[in-house]
Amino acid sequence: MFTGIIQAVGRVAAVESRGNDARLRIDSDSLPLADARPGDSIAVNGVCLTAIEFAGQSFTADVSAETLSCTTLGKHKIGAAVNLEPALLPTTRLGGHLVSGHVDGVGRLLESRPDGRSQRLRFELPAALAKYVAAKGSICVDGISLTVNAVEANRFDVNIVPHTLASTTLAALRPGDEVNIEVDLLARYLERLRSGDGDQPTSGITPDFLKRTGFIA
């Protein structure tokens, strides 16, 4: 599990094709790796990867064919900047929101414009994910925990404060660039509980139940 609070920006140092899979080496001068061990989880642009080898300020991880097909990792070239976060500890401050590192889909930046001292970004995400996004809710974009400011169909806006712009890869995004999207974990599980295994809602949690208990209007 992660928090979506980026701890360092690294660079793709090597990409090695292994059949349908790939092996990545990531370099970072500032990611804390002193106590890291093989088998540890590190989120790379929001994708949970298992580090298999460490050397100085770099680590190596395998990326499966499934992950390559569902995220942007397969499109990164050598030298590409990536957001990094090690897995949270029981003592970690939960400054963002609970993030699994399991990407739900690939979105696209539509617009970036100044908004006071912040930057307002508008993203488009796959239509199937739109129901999980709510104004003032949380969403993870390239591993970054963000608060949704506005939602319209399958588009949403976020405001990026100067610190986040300076500490992540968001400042380098241009309209048309693709990003990894992970929707809010609780929204995803609530949808599953509500819908059940088939087309009929489960007997326990239904729209009527949620209205009666004050969860929805």
Side-chain angles (χ1 to χ4, degrees), residues 9-11 45 76 79-83 109 111-112 119 121 123 142 144 160 162 164-179:
V9 173
R11 297 277 175 183
N45 269 9
H76 289 319
V82 288
N83 297 313
L109 178 67
E111 180 186 0
S112 175
Q119 194 76 6
L121 305 184
F123 291 95
D142 269 353
I144 307 162
I160 312 300
T164 303
L165 280 175
S167 305
T168 70
T169 61
L170 288 180
L173 286 180
R174 297 293 179 265
D177 286 349
E178 293 183 329
V179 292

Side-chain angles (χ1 to χ4, degrees), residues 1-216:
M1 297 296 294
F2 306 90
T3 66
I5 303 299
I6 302 305
Q7 294 197 16
V9 173
R11 297 277 175 183
V12 177
V15 180
E16 179 184 346
S17 178
R18 297 203 165 196
N20 293 329
D21 299 348
R23 176 165 290 184
L24 300 182
R25 191 176 86 245
I26 308 294
D27 290 347
S28 174
D29 293 334
S30 54
L31 186 69
L33 295 176
D35 61 348
R37 299 290 182 271
D40 285 357
S41 294
I42 300 176
V44 178
N45 269 9
V47 184
C48 178
L49 298 181
T50 300
I52 59 175
E53 186 178 87
F54 294 90
Q57 280 301 119
S58 70
F59 68 92
T60 301
D62 287 325
V63 186
S64 70
E66 172 70 11
T67 300
L68 291 172
S69 68
C70 296
T71 71
T72 63
L73 286 188
K75 299 178 182 179
H76 289 319
K77 307 297 184 183
I78 292 176
V82 288
N83 297 313
L84 302 174
E85 181 191 358
L88 63 84
L89 301 171
T91 56
T92 303
R93 288 188 177 92
L94 190 58
H97 69 286
L98 288 176
V99 175
S100 68
H102 302 158
V103 171
D104 292 298
V106 173
R108 183 169 58 94
L109 178 67
L110 297 178
E111 180 186 0
S112 175
R113 59 180 173 83
D115 189 359
R117 295 179 58 244
S118 300
Q119 194 76 6
R120 192 173 184 94
L121 305 184
R122 173 167 291 184
F123 291 95
E124 181 180 66
L125 76 167
L129 299 180
K131 60 185 175 183
Y132 301 111
V133 183
K136 305 307 177 185
S138 296
I139 196 164
C140 192
V141 176
D142 269 353
I144 307 162
S145 173
L146 299 173
T147 299
V148 177
N149 288 96
V151 181
E152 181 182 352
N154 65 325
R155 300 177 176 187
F156 66 92
D157 290 10
V158 292
N159 267 63
I160 312 300
V161 298
H163 174 78
T164 303
L165 280 175
S167 305
T168 70
T169 61
L170 288 180
L173 286 180
R174 297 293 179 265
D177 286 349
E178 293 183 329
V179 292
N180 295 316
I181 299 287
E182 181 182 336
V183 299
D184 183 64
L185 193 66
L186 296 179
R188 190 164 54 200
Y189 278 111
L190 182 59
E191 169 66 15
R192 180 62 174 168
L193 285 170
R194 191 195 71 80
S195 63
D197 289 329
D199 295 330
Q200 298 300 317
T202 62
S203 59
I205 299 179
T206 65
D208 180 63
F209 171 83
L210 293 175
K211 287 180 181 179
R212 285 188 286 105
T213 52
F215 284 96
I216 60 176

